[in-house]
Amino acid sequence: MNLSESKDFLVSTGSLKEVRTFSREVFEKINLPQEQKDELVLAIAEAAQNIVKHGYKDVEETNDRMEIKISLKESELEIGFFDKGKAVVPGNVQHRKLDDIKPGGLGTFFIKQIMDAAVFKKDQKGWVNHLVLTKKI
Amino acid sequence: MTYKVTEEGNISTVFLNGEIDMDVTEKAKEVILPIVESGKEVHLNLKDVSYMDSSGISVLIESHQKALENNTKVIVKEVSKSVLKVIMMAKLEQILNLE
């Protein structure tokens, strides 16, 4: 099955619910166990949250939008995130150590647990960051 | 997210309802942390929480740690299957008081 759907969202914590709704609607069209769909929705929501939280850190309000593109080609799922926030230095994207129990720092860990790969691409035409998450399903 | 708080003796039970993400964590903390800081034992009932992300997990950790500082405890009760999975992914099932 091949599929490709994208949608843009205002960069805001208030958009995270819309991001999940969009993701759930797309995954409804794919034959996957519900548990795996829930995990993928979590990974997408965490990546979108990272854009809001880190890409727009210290920005109180913005009219900028972010775009999420979910594509499935054969059994390769690819999820792209485009944003115009602060440029990400990939080497600085790290989760906290799990035994260092404190609030925060788990979103990136969840993404890495759920997905096969998370890569920042250099082909961000008109955007600042282009994150690609992939998973064989 | 909506919530309800009931009290019985020194125990306050906070029933959270809906989806807990970054958009509602401040609201959740405003409900839970003052009760913890008052020294009461808090039971967090999550049976009607259908989704929780890393922000929600942070609320659970902060509540737990604040309780330790105040010589009381937060017990997380009736965790839904989907939320339990996220707690386990964060390897917190042995850290938080789950019932």
Side-chain angles (χ1 to χ4, degrees):
Chain A
M1 180 190 183
N2 291 350
L3 165 155
S4 181
E5 296 199 22
S6 64
K7 190 170 180 178
D8 65 279
F9 306 87
L10 181 69
V11 177
S12 160
T13 58
S15 298
L16 296 174
K17 194 176 178 69
E18 282 177 61
V19 167
R20 295 194 297 274
T21 300
F22 164 68
S23 307
R24 286 171 183 144
E25 284 173 358
V26 173
F27 291 134
E28 276 305 302
K29 299 169 189 168
I30 302 173
N31 185 25
L32 282 175
Q34 188 57 46
E35 204 168 304
Q36 192 171 13
K37 288 180 184 178
D38 291 343
E39 283 186 356
L40 292 168
V41 169
L42 178 64
I44 292 170
E46 294 290 355
Q49 179 181 281
N50 280 347
I51 293 171
V52 177
K53 193 173 176 181
H54 303 296
Y56 286 79
K57 191 179 179 184
D58 301 325
V59 177
E60 209 154 289
E61 208 175 316
T62 179
N63 289 321
D64 281 4
R65 300 187 75 81
M66 56 185 170
E67 186 177 313
I68 299 176
K69 183 179 178 185
I70 302 176
S71 310
L72 179 67
K73 196 172 179 186
E74 307 304 335
S75 59
E76 181 79 17
L77 181 69
E78 182 177 300
I79 306 159
F81 298 81
F82 302 85
D83 72 82
K84 294 179 177 176
K86 295 183 181 95
V88 173
V89 179
N92 291 348
V93 181
Q94 288 174 349
H95 60 81
R96 70 160 164 80
K97 288 179 181 167
L98 277 194
D99 54 3
D100 179 18
I101 309 294
K102 61 183 180 185
L106 282 173
T108 302
F109 174 75
F110 287 167
I111 292 169
K112 287 185 175 174
Q113 287 282 104
I114 295 164
M115 306 303 295
D116 294 337
V119 177
F120 283 92
K121 300 253 178 164
K122 296 278 185 194
D123 59 350
Q124 59 272 40
K125 299 177 190 82
W127 299 92
V128 174
N129 300 301
H130 178 198
L131 169 66
V132 177
L133 307 181
T134 51
K135 187 173 179 74
K136 203 93 175 157
I137 57 173
Chain B
M1 182 201 80
T2 58
Y3 69 92
K4 181 178 80 176
V5 182
T6 62
E7 307 217 358
E8 198 177 330
N10 195 43
I11 297 172
S12 291
T13 302
V14 181
F15 296 84
L16 297 177
N17 189 310
E19 300 195 323
I20 316 270
D21 66 8
M22 187 184 171
D23 197 36
V24 301
T25 48
E26 283 310 310
K27 185 177 169 187
K29 284 197 275 187
E30 281 170 18
V31 174
I32 300 164
L33 296 184
I35 306 174
V36 175
E37 284 163 357
S38 75
K40 284 192 165 184
E41 181 173 317
V42 174
H43 293 183
L44 274 182
N45 189 303
L46 303 185
K47 75 179 166 65
D48 293 321
V49 174
S50 54
Y51 171 89
M52 181 177 280
D53 66 9
S54 61
S55 297
I57 295 294
S58 291
V59 174
L60 298 184
I61 294 173
E62 196 170 341
S63 304
H64 174 74
Q65 293 183 331
K66 190 68 78 181
L68 293 177
E69 285 170 27
N70 286 277
N71 297 315
T72 184
K73 59 184 171 183
V74 171
I75 300 176
V76 184
K77 305 187 91 154
E78 295 192 69
V79 186
S80 60
K81 195 178 161 192
S82 58
V83 173
L84 181 61
K85 195 163 180 207
V86 181
I87 290 173
M88 292 178 76
M89 204 186 294
K91 303 197 188 324
L92 290 169
E93 68 275 20
Q94 302 296 329
I95 305 293
L96 302 172
N97 297 313
L98 299 181
E99 270 186 14

